[in-house]
Amino acid sequence: MNLSSIRNFSIIAHIDHGKSTLADRLLEKTNSMPKKKMAEEQVLDQMDLERERGITIKSHPVRMYYILNDREYELHLIDTPGHVDFSYEVSRSLAACEGALLVVDATQGIEAQTLANYNLALENGLVLIPVINKIDLPGSEIERVKMQLIDTLGFSEDEILLVSAKEGIGIDKLLEAIITRIPPPRGSTEKSLEALIFDAYFDSYRGVVVYTRIFNGSVRKGTKIMMMSNRGVYEVDEVGYFSFGLHPTETLDVGEVGYIIANIKNVKDAQVGDTITDADSPVEHPLPGFKRIKPMVFCGLFPQESNGYQDLRDSLEKLQLNDPALVFEPENSEALGPGFRCGFLGTLHMEIVEERLEREYGVKLVATAPNVVYKVYTKDGRLIEINNPSQFPYYSEVEKVEEPYVRVSIISPSEFIGPVMELCLGKRGVLIDMNYIDPIKVVFTYELPLSEVMFDFFDKLKSVTRGYASLDYEPIGFRESDLVKLDILVKGEPVDALSIIVHRDESEKRAREIVKKLRALIPRQLFEIPIQASVNGKIIARENIPPIKKNVLQKCYGGDVTRKKKLLEKQKEGKKRLKQIGQVEVPQEAFLAILKSE
Amino acid sequence: MKEIELYSNKNYIIESIYIGGGTPSIFPAEDIEEIINALSSSGEVKDDIEFTIEVNPGTIDREKLERYRALGINRVSIGVQTLRREELTTLGRIHTSEEALCSIQLAKDAGFTNINVDLIYGIPGQTLESWKDTLKRVLDLDITHISIYGLMYEPGTPLYKSLIRGEVSPIPEDTEVEMFNITQDILRDYSFFWYELSNYAREDYECRHNITYWEGKDYLGIGSSSHSLIENTRYSNTPNIEAYIEILSKNKTPRVWIEKLTPLERARELIMLGLRMKRGVSLSNIFNRTGVDVKEIFAKNIEKLISLGLVNYDGDRLTLTEYGRLLGNEVFVEFC
Ligand SMILES: Nc1nc2c(ncn2[C@@H]2O[C@H](COP(=O)(O)OP(=O)(O)OP(=O)(O)O)[C@@H](O)[C@H]2O)c(=O)[nH]1
Ligand SMILES: [Mg+2]
């Protein structure tokens, strides 16, 4: 297709503002929706987890054709997730586009990820089309939201489009705006191939399926391509575009978004962010690629079965291809054996990774409680960066500890100013700024320890603002804090996978909570199990799990045998879900229980 | 009767008979007689068989018991459960403790010399004293066999529902353990010895019929929802009475469920059942019967159980230790 007939755009917004629903309407209007999908909502959310949770997790590219004023256009839409934990999906999608639809919910107005994604799009130099969605709702406040877009984001009134994705209102106008306002891609077919890998997944038959945007040149079956990062050369097997699955085409040309399959079996050879070029006439420099993103939280993932290490490694590598925000490195736990320390963008991201590993790759996991990274300065002048509490040096060697801080933006209706400030204060927050977006909506800027924001802050924020506040954050570096390592001893033995790093003032309270929880979670065994918590070598909390004294099937005659066998099998199944630590059998939940505080 | 006739060509050799499940003693003795006649015409009944009937207090009189004896029944098993009124009410039993004591006396008067009594301990509201009292009063009547069960809350039962609703609270585990311990002392004083987890007898009065189950020997169950084990296969009859009658009227067997045991499954069962008995299980015997080398397959499990002090192993026989008796499931689960 002629470059001037191509448009590449993403749909970006705060979570739940209606991106995927809007994509449905665009697909319908352009007759791109398969018949059998007509009845579904958010059809691009095809992953089981997306459908179950009703949120978008992955970016989804799809091609559409649309005729405007007798001319046919090829549109590449990429629907993106709104949740802050998946922001890397958004920024990679934006790199494949010239424009973006910034969707704002007419009943909510501008929220924290509206701002964050707006800034991302500007950094990528994209043309933005502001779209107010859900105008069908009785609670919509179109005028107010318009004013926010104009005053806070600098749009002009006549740029703003009004739609209802649900009712299909304003879709024609929107398509027209996409074509007239978003510039066509630039580049040339004559030049050497220059294609950005913005996503990928592993297919066990065909190898890596690369999602790409062609910036120069073209690619077809038989083309010899080279990966710029490691000079790996492959012959292309198939190219095509996305439309509810893969659609093979002759060529993928400059300006287009599509996929390349080249029998790449080693996932390391297809790195997201890498540039693909012609093997025969390679370009000199790769495209800028993506900023490396730093994981915010870490946890240990261990195979439940002791022989599952290699499986877990393969699964992580394959999943990482489809989720480059995930990082991992080998970890050896005394209690849990060999596994991986994994880094995530947030706790939802962590949850999704764990679920995908279990569902898509069939691995059974034991996950430890998440934590952030710490910088520990030792008395002998070393600096140790630790992403795992078990690496915390012995307390007498510790000079000082620093923890990551984030700048947090909270957008909330002004009636909740009091409760929000109180919450942040309790979490060691420092107020930096407070501005009104409009008379009844404020943006707070706070600096807070990441560890406080990460774990239950959002839930608490939602509850003190009756669900109305939204939150975004970015790292601002490390600051000194009075932190200590809290060790948990089970039957006298410290269990490395159960230790956490806490603020000293909190340590006693947390210690008591944790031993109580563990007492409730660890099933009684044949011997007494003391559970102790210690800080700096001093026991500060203790509970005892009394031994089982009686567990026997009383009656067992002819007719009972089968039923009793079932009972025993159940008991055995229960035991299987336990991880043996020394003599003690500990359930998976115990490792996570240490996380939440009351 | 009809079902018994179905098996008449099998030429089983009958070593023991047990009429039980529900309350067979409410039927007139004539009905029991007909069953016995049918049995003896369908297989070879040995001379010295053990022949038990379950009776519930309040459903029998001297005359009925004498008729039983005349029919060749030589053992009665009486579901006394407890002698305390409140405890009987908690269990949902309709008989009184007077009726219970009376039925033991009646059985003796009718000439029975082999009498079993079922008792339950660990009933909500029960105390160490009340349990001792029940146990001693029963033993004073000079019976020969006693089955003692710790109370179990079986899902679906009214007691289980009351437990879930919080209307009854289970007695503390420590008390239950103490009850178990004093039970052992008292029984020893009365010259009873344990031979299976819940069963105690005077010398030579072990229940031969039940030992069949624990030794994994064949048995044939007759009646709705009864079970059988024949040549490594377990069968069970439909629990639905109407269906049971319907199927039989068409001259078909009412067996609705069959489980063919593999040698390994068979071996596991033999351990699980055999370990219930004081004499335990002989691993060489299991090997001879199933071809499964338990010692080899479960080496780790056996080692673990020995180190936990739950079982003893003399090179052939695996037996529960004194401590293991209250923790049977922890042992059995290693073999399932
Ligand atoms: N009334 C009304 N509801 C809408 C409209 N658009 C979307 N919704 C509803 O808003 C909810 C969220 O819609 P989605 O399309 O999943 O939102 P999203 O922005 O894709 O969400 P994430 O991908 O998870 O960030 C759904 O319940 C939709 O039915 C609209 O125009 N009107
Ligand atoms: Mg979505």
Side-chain angles (χ1 to χ4, degrees), chain A residues 91-272:
Chain A
S91 54
R92 292 186 347 262
S93 303
L94 293 176
C97 299
E98 279 73 40
L101 313 184
L102 179 67
V103 177
V104 183
D105 185 326
T107 63
Q108 312 270 310
I110 290 178
E111 297 287 357
Q113 273 76 51
T114 316
L115 289 179
N117 287 329
Y118 168 85
N119 287 325
L120 266 182
L122 287 195
E123 281 168 30
N124 277 272
L126 302 196
V127 170
L128 279 168
I129 302 179
V131 179
I132 298 180
N133 183 31
K134 307 198 190 181
I135 58 166
D136 59 295
L137 284 177
S140 65
E141 297 181 81
I142 300 170
E143 285 315 307
R144 212 186 119 208
V145 178
K146 263 191 188 169
M147 288 319 291
Q148 292 177 357
L149 285 167
I150 294 166
D151 292 344
T152 313
L153 302 183
F155 290 106
S156 67
E157 173 148 22
D158 50 351
E159 274 183 279
I160 300 170
L161 296 179
L162 303 182
V163 306
S164 161
K166 188 135 195 184
E167 304 293 333
I169 302 167
I171 306 301
D172 289 313
K173 276 236 171 75
L174 177 59
L175 277 161
E176 188 183 329
I178 290 167
I179 289 166
T180 54
R181 291 197 223 163
I182 295 174
R186 287 183 300 191
S188 151
T189 350
E190 308 307 317
K191 288 193 179 161
S192 283
L193 176 65
E194 222 176 333
L196 175 70
I197 306 180
F198 67 88
D199 205 350
Y201 70 89
F202 190 83
D203 180 295
S204 36
Y205 298 106
R206 315 199 64 186
V208 178
V209 179
V210 162
Y211 288 41
T212 188
R213 155 73 196 267
I214 314 283
F215 282 91
N216 272 309
S218 74
V219 56
R220 57 172 62 228
K221 186 180 162 98
T223 307
K224 285 222 163 35
I225 53 169
M226 187 175 83
M227 303 294 170
M228 294 214 53
S229 64
N230 69 355
R231 312 252 129 199
V233 174
Y234 290 92
E235 185 176 310
V236 173
D237 196 33
E238 182 181 309
V239 299
Y241 65 90
F242 305 102
S243 175
F244 300 92
L246 307 179
H247 286 253
T249 49
E250 276 286 300
T251 62
L252 209 53
D253 278 326
V254 61
E256 293 186 318
V257 172
Y259 68 92
I260 300 175
I261 295 173
N263 198 25
I264 305 171
K265 288 284 155 75
N266 185 355
V267 297
K268 295 252 160 68
D269 279 0
Q271 291 297 311
V272 169

Side-chain angles (χ1 to χ4, degrees), chain A residues 539-558:
Chain A
I539 303 289
I540 55 173
R542 172 183 176 126
E543 292 273 343
N544 274 340
I545 302 176
I548 313 181
K549 293 196 186 131
K550 186 162 182 290
N551 176 20
V552 63
L553 299 172
Q554 297 286 349
K555 268 188 200 182
C556 188
Y557 302 110

